[in-house]
Amino acid sequence: MPAFVPFAALRYAATDDLDALVAPPYDVLSEADAETFRQRSEHNIVHLDVPSGPDGYARSGRLLERWQRTGILVADAGPTFTIYRVRFTDAAGVPRDLAGVIGGLEVVDEGAGGVLPHERTTPKASTDRLDLTRATRANLSPVWGLALASGLTALLAEPGEPVGKVSDEGVEHVVERVADPARVAAIAELVGSDDVLIADGHHRYGVSRIYRDEVRAATGRTDTAAEQTLAYVGELVADQLSVAAIHRLYQGISAADLLAALRRRFRTSEIAAPTPETLAAMEADGYLVLVGSDVAWRLDPLPGAFEDVRELDGAWLEAALADVPHEVTYQHGLAEVTAAVRDGRAEAGVLIRPVSVAEIQRTAREHLLMPPKSTFFTPKLKTGLVLRPL
């Protein structure tokens, strides 16, 4: 089972100004978004986390060192965990209160078990996160893990010491420090008692493995901070997860040819342009929607069409199009999908349903992998609330 350890977290000293200092994860920011956050404050985390210019990585390293030296960032007095609470109202109008814990999650070799992927990943040629880790010698944003051990939510119910709060677009992010040795030990023991499933951040976890191996080669040691990586871990239970769908966009195939291919396994019927109500109906009635530039089709699986395929919309589409040349990309958000098709950035799109928590649990327990981009966990965690020195 993976080790989950406390560490002396780096935090902003100006806890009353966090709105100007933290930001969404780097991989959801456009360059224009990043520049907006840079303009908020000379100390906004994006200055570190989204380097720009030819010497951007080295500048991030120097900046992180300067912020620690001048007291912009301060380290906890000793090893701690951080409870991270997210409070919001979901799309169905239900108030949600999610709680996870930030600590150092053991970096294990691929296939070794303990820390498990939950979906196949798409290749990433960029060395951006690895170059940034080398330059800063720090984890700036957490991997998102799901603990298979039961009882974590209850263990995190008692508040810790408040160390920051940010509200953004109806979502409240609250962080609390846990320094009490007994409680720290209890959290470490529980998370480390069963597998942890990576929900988001497969690429970052892979980068941590490369960096760990580099440190081992350079030092000959296996007891450095590089043996773990920054991770937010929540319990894998329905009331602690908010899962959205990541839809499919298709190119390299016309909408007509895509429809013809899908008709081999789906019954199709023309419908009105999809709305948020359509997404709810898809979940209730079990169908997908093909979006063309000026028409949409309901896709109901034909009886027996997917007997040999897992009951995942992404897997169904892979099976239906396995022998058809095409290119697929991934996009969350109904409006974003319809805009991409309307503007000609995609020939067609397919709206799929969110993966159920039960299927995520099954994936973990059976050590299976979902198709790429099967799940979109929301709300996204803020970068900058907790940093981990390496």
Side-chain angles (χ1 to χ4, degrees):
M1 297 301 107
F4 188 64
V5 302
F7 61 92
L10 273 179
R11 310 177 193 273
Y12 278 108
T15 56
D16 57 348
D17 196 30
L18 288 176
D19 284 319
L21 299 174
V22 302
Y26 75 97
D27 53 358
V28 302
L29 295 176
S30 66
E31 180 49 42
D33 294 333
E35 186 57 30
T36 296
F37 283 99
R38 292 187 190 106
Q39 294 302 318
R40 285 190 177 183
S41 169
E42 64 179 320
H43 300 133
N44 187 279
I45 192 64
V46 167
H47 290 285
L48 294 178
D49 198 40
V50 189
S52 60
D55 65 339
Y57 300 112
R59 191 167 61 251
S60 287
R62 293 192 298 269
L63 202 57
L64 179 57
E65 190 278 331
R66 186 189 315 146
W67 287 2
Q68 293 178 75
R69 188 177 66 250
T70 58
I72 302 302
L73 293 169
V74 294
D76 287 350
T80 62
F81 284 125
T82 300
I83 300 174
Y84 190 137
R85 305 187 192 278
V86 184
R87 299 181 175 119
F88 63 103
T89 300
D90 67 19
V94 178
R96 305 294 301 276
D97 192 341
L98 313 185
V101 58
I102 293 178
L105 180 65
E106 182 179 357
V107 177
V108 302
D109 291 332
E110 186 172 4
V115 180
L116 311 173
H118 92 284
E119 62 185 20
R120 302 196 312 274
T121 55
T122 53
K124 287 191 177 183
S126 171
T127 62
D128 169 64
R129 292 298 102 179
L130 180 56
D131 290 338
L132 185 61
T133 305
R134 289 167 173 161
T136 60
R137 297 189 301 278
N139 299 140
L140 302 182
S141 56
V143 170
W144 189 330
L146 301 174
L148 273 66
S150 61
L152 180 60
T153 306
L155 193 56
L156 302 179
E158 179 185 343
E161 175 195 353
V163 287
K165 179 166 61 176
V166 176
S167 294
D168 182 34
E169 297 184 346
V171 181
E172 185 179 51
H173 303 257
V174 180
V175 283
E176 303 162 355
R177 177 166 43 218
V178 177
D180 174 68
R183 194 174 186 197
V184 164
I187 291 171
E189 181 180 2
L190 181 65
V191 174
S193 68
D194 205 339
D195 293 334
V196 173
L197 188 70
I198 298 177
D200 193 10
H202 293 81
H203 179 63
R204 267 166 285 168
Y205 191 82
V207 163
S208 294
R209 188 181 291 129
I210 296 171
Y211 184 76
R212 177 207 64 182
D213 290 346
E214 291 180 350
V215 172
R216 285 180 174 179
T219 65
R221 296 170 55 189
T222 58
D223 61 350
T224 71
E227 297 294 318
Q228 299 88 33
T229 193
L230 184 67
Y232 163 96
V233 179
E235 189 172 354
L236 180 49
V237 289
D239 66 0
Q240 289 297 305
L241 288 177
S242 176
V243 187
I246 305 183
H247 308 298
R248 274 47 179 163
L249 293 173
Y250 292 95
Q251 294 175 294
I253 185 173
S254 69
D257 287 344
L258 183 61
L259 179 63
L262 292 172
R263 278 177 169 158
R264 297 176 300 178
R265 299 217 192 191
F266 292 93
R267 182 176 68 254
T268 65
S269 52
E270 194 170 321
I271 61 173
T275 65
E277 288 71 26
T278 307
L279 299 178
M282 288 167 55
E283 288 196 63
D285 298 335
Y287 64 90
L288 289 65
V289 171
L290 173 61
V291 180
S293 57
D294 55 4
V295 65
W297 294 269
R298 172 172 169 158
L299 306 175
D300 287 281
L302 293 169
F306 296 106
E307 284 185 348
D308 57 343
V309 181
R310 289 179 64 193
E311 195 169 340
L312 294 169
D313 293 357
W316 285 357
L317 291 171
E318 284 187 345
L321 301 174
D323 60 346
V324 179
H326 66 279
E327 299 172 10
V328 60
T329 55
Y330 308 92
Q331 177 64 61
H332 60 86
L334 170 61
E336 290 80 1
V337 170
T338 54
V341 175
R342 183 186 62 243
D343 298 344
R345 289 177 281 122
E347 293 294 329
V350 175
L351 305 176
I352 68 174
R353 299 165 295 168
V355 177
S356 70
V357 171
E359 191 62 35
I360 296 171
Q361 291 171 329
R362 178 190 170 215
T363 294
R365 288 303 184 191
E366 298 183 13
H367 291 199
L368 302 172
L369 292 178
M370 296 182 186
K373 304 294 184 182
S374 288
T375 51
F376 186 70
F377 293 89
T378 62
K380 291 300 181 185
L381 306 176
K382 294 294 185 184
T383 296
L385 291 172
V386 181
L387 281 65
R388 180 173 180 269
L390 293 170

